[in-house]
Amino acid sequence: MKNYKIAVLSGDGIGPEVMAEAKKVLAAVTEKFKIGFEFNEQLVGGAAIDATHSTNSGQVGEPLPEATMQACEASDAILFGSVGGEKWNSLPPEKRPEVGALLPLRKKFDLFANIRPAGVSKVLAHSSPLKPEIIGDGFSFTVIRELTGDVYFGEKKRGTDFSSDLMIYRKAEVERIARVAFELAKNSKKKVTNVDKSNVLATSQFWRSVVEEIHQKEFPEIELEHLYIDNATMQILVRPQSFGVILTSNLFGDILSDEAAQISGSIGLQASASINSDKFGLYEPMGGSAPDIAGKGIANPIAQILSAAMLLEISLNEKEAAASIKGSVEKVLADGLRTADIFTGADGEQKVSTSEMGDAIVKNLS
Ligand code: IPM
Ligand code: MN
């Protein structure tokens, strides 16, 4: 039996309770597909800050302790929950759970490709804020966001009367993310929409020319469209069906992927992957730690469960098991099972708890 090492970083808020359901599903995958998992649970985010806080020296704790980093290094993939909460909001940005844990993990493992699928099926169309006539029979597209460059990692300066964040991209960085987008487009609508701000920014003009070069040389069969970021935010709302793969830089992708998640219905359904060129990756729900509903047993575990499915598919190349999980999620939603975030009270819907949803997904694995 194959045996994979998974670093499990549940984090804060609803993280631990939705992670418990993802682990339940992976345990069922072991039974059905004879794929073994060794879970290495580690502290991250606010939970890690609190655990490593030194009351003697008064030193603030670490959102990403060394032991956690080492466990990730020794694993085949990272399954990440969510981090953050009111309690840690007054810390300086780099010490906060979100920035202090996620950004160093992305940089350390060179997780340059962030894959964020979006979309709604007919079954859940009414949970999307878009009008039914715009959604039609549903839509689906994938945002490919560059994740280790741009203003996120460019030089930062802060003076008394000025501040700056350097927006910088190197050719190789643009080339590799463009290839990820074009490759993905081969298996879907054969269309890439590049989003930038090349009417103003030198970085974007450069980005666009590199994308065009890769397109012409390596993927001429794929359709390539260009949109400015401001226009793209509008086009997504009026013609969501027209998109296949959206390729964009780090900051624009941060903004666009939240928009895409929102129009897809509940953020509690959205999974994401951040991978490097060896397909090692970190998999996490797009939503946050939702402290307001933590501990109540009402959070939607589907985003975490689908993140585990993406982990199987991309990092472990266990496509059959991944498809089985995705199929089961579709089935329980079609059967009307709904956690509170997607419950509308319509005929045929049944309100379920976090663990009931997890159990139903286990039961429907094929
Ligand atoms: C995301 C988040 C992060 C980002 C924050 C928490 C650093 O918003 O994953 O989209 O800006 O990338
Ligand atoms: Mn974001």
Side-chain angles (χ1 to χ4, degrees), residues 116 145 152 254 257-258:
R116 296 187 166 180
R145 167 189 175 194
Y152 274 70
D254 181 40
S257 61
D258 265 23

Side-chain angles (χ1 to χ4, degrees), residues 98-99 102-103 106 116 145 147 152 250 254 258 284:
E98 301 90 336
V99 173
L102 277 175
L103 298 192
R106 289 174 184 170
R116 296 187 166 180
R145 167 189 175 194
L147 204 58
Y152 274 70
N250 202 346
D254 181 40
D258 265 23
E284 61 174 329

Side-chain angles (χ1 to χ4, degrees), residues 7 40 42 64-75 108-109:
N40 188 347
Q42 294 291 332
L64 185 66
E66 189 48 39
T68 302
M69 199 64 121
Q70 276 170 15
C72 292
E73 269 186 280
S75 71
K108 162 89 185 174
F109 295 104

Side-chain angles (χ1 to χ4, degrees), residues 2 70 112-113 164 212 266 307 342 364:
K2 267 188 239 157
Q70 276 170 15
F112 70 92
S164 65
E212 280 176 340
S266 174
S307 298
I342 48 176
N364 284 284

Side-chain angles (χ1 to χ4, degrees), residues 93-351:
E94 70 285 358
K95 281 279 181 188
R96 262 184 238 163
E98 301 90 336
V99 173
L102 277 175
L103 298 192
L105 279 169
R106 289 174 184 170
K107 200 66 184 173
K108 162 89 185 174
F109 295 104
D110 200 21
L111 306 177
F112 70 92
N114 185 217
I115 305 170
R116 296 187 166 180
V120 280
S121 60
K122 216 171 172 151
V123 173
L124 283 176
H126 57 277
S127 339
S128 168
L130 296 184
K131 289 183 191 150
E133 56 267 38
I134 286 181
I135 293 181
D137 287 337
F139 64 88
S140 90
F141 59 84
T142 303
V143 178
I144 299 292
R145 167 189 175 194
E146 200 289 330
L147 204 58
T148 50
D150 205 346
V151 287
Y152 274 70
F153 294 97
E155 191 189 2
K156 291 173 190 301
K157 286 188 190 159
R158 177 91 189 248
T160 47
D161 56 357
F162 82 100
S163 65
S164 65
D165 299 90
L166 181 65
M167 181 177 271
I168 176 167
Y169 268 112
R170 293 173 201 290
K171 189 166 188 195
E173 291 176 319
V174 186
E175 286 173 341
R176 66 180 184 173
I177 193 70
R179 286 193 183 103
V180 171
F182 286 119
E183 281 294 342
L184 186 70
K186 277 185 182 171
N187 317 321
S188 52
K189 292 179 196 156
K190 305 209 170 359
K191 178 177 173 186
V192 169
T193 302
N194 171 56
V195 174
D196 61 36
K197 188 68 187 172
S198 59
N199 50 347
V200 177
L201 302 173
T203 325
S204 282
Q205 285 150 17
F206 176 74
W207 170 283
R208 187 180 285 206
S209 71
V210 177
V211 169
E212 280 176 340
E213 191 182 321
I214 294 290
H215 174 241
Q216 275 154 26
K217 283 194 190 145
E218 300 174 28
F219 304 91
E221 74 282 12
I222 305 287
E223 182 192 344
L224 175 62
E225 165 189 53
H226 295 288
L227 291 177
Y228 299 138
I229 175 67
D230 49 348
N231 187 22
T233 61
M234 297 195 293
Q235 298 307 319
I236 284 177
L237 299 180
V238 295
R239 54 172 175 96
Q241 275 111 349
S242 73
F243 298 100
V245 173
I246 296 180
L247 164 64
T248 192
S249 51
N250 202 346
L251 182 61
F252 298 153
D254 181 40
I255 298 162
L256 270 194
S257 61
D258 265 23
E259 184 187 22
Q262 184 60 56
I263 61 169
S264 298
S266 174
I267 189 107
L269 296 167
Q270 308 302 314
S272 75
S274 304
I275 61 169
N276 66 22
S277 45
D278 298 324
K279 297 209 168 153
F280 176 84
L282 179 152
Y283 299 81
E284 61 174 329
M286 282 193 224
S289 58
D292 51 320
I293 59 162
K296 297 185 178 161
I298 59 172
N300 192 340
I302 289 180
Q304 191 75 61
I305 290 168
L306 289 177
S307 298
M310 288 184 91
L311 183 157
L312 284 165
E313 183 178 337
I314 302 171
S315 281
L316 308 184
N317 201 26
E318 296 287 357
K319 301 228 174 349
E320 219 185 319
S324 164
I325 296 175
K326 283 198 256 179
S328 179
V329 168
E330 274 165 33
K331 171 82 168 57
V332 301
L333 290 174
D335 287 349
L337 269 64
R338 299 283 185 271
T339 41
D341 56 316
I342 48 176
F343 180 76
T344 64
D347 274 357
E349 286 188 358
Q350 184 196 341
K351 200 176 199 173

